[in-house]
Amino acid sequence: MKKIEAIIRKSKYRVVKEALHDVGVNFFSYWDVTGLGNEKEGHVYRGVSYSTSDIQRRHLSIVVNDDFEEVTIQAILNSAGTGEVGDGKIFVSDINECYRIRTGEKGGDTLK
């Protein structure tokens, strides 16, 4: 099993959510976050300078079986990108075990 964490633009959340549903990822957690990025310059919009490192983000936490790892990542990459600095990051880590609290069942079948 893999844990895929994605930090995306908050404005792209709906599109990413639909892309994940389209590939069969129907359960994940998310929360709003703010962070700092690598960009040192701000952008100017209508004469007002603003920092792109302070754009609101949404953090997605998704646990999938190994065979869903690549399709999940591709769904996020294809739907979250704008081509601009600040599109976000994806992190992948291993999950050793998963338990369904209601039944005590364990293993990859608990993700279905």
Side-chain angles (χ1 to χ4, degrees), residues 74-93:
Q74 285 304 313
I76 296 167
L77 287 173
N78 294 335
S79 59
T82 66
E84 299 291 323
V85 172
D87 278 345
K89 299 270 193 280
I90 298 173
F91 306 97
V92 180
S93 55

Side-chain angles (χ1 to χ4, degrees), residues 6-7 10 21 31 35 42 51 60 67 70 82 84 97 111:
I7 300 172
K10 194 172 180 179
H21 285 300
W31 53 97
S51 169
L60 310 179
D67 56 337
E70 194 57 39
T82 66
E84 299 291 323
E97 195 58 82
L111 300 177

Side-chain angles (χ1 to χ4, degrees), residues 36-43 50-53 84-86:
L36 298 174
N38 290 327
E39 185 173 330
K40 304 294 186 244
E41 301 175 13
H43 286 124
Y50 66 97
S51 169
T52 55
S53 65
E84 299 291 323
V85 172

Side-chain angles (χ1 to χ4, degrees), residues 35-78:
L36 298 174
N38 290 327
E39 185 173 330
K40 304 294 186 244
E41 301 175 13
H43 286 124
V44 177
Y45 178 73
R46 294 188 178 181
V48 177
S49 180
Y50 66 97
S51 169
T52 55
S53 65
D54 292 333
I55 294 173
Q56 292 295 305
R57 312 279 185 214
R58 192 151 277 175
H59 185 128
L60 310 179
S61 179
I62 308 161
V63 178
V64 296
N65 284 312
D66 291 338
D67 56 337
F68 267 80
E69 176 184 2
E70 194 57 39
V71 295
T72 303
I73 291 169
Q74 285 304 313
I76 296 167
L77 287 173
N78 294 335

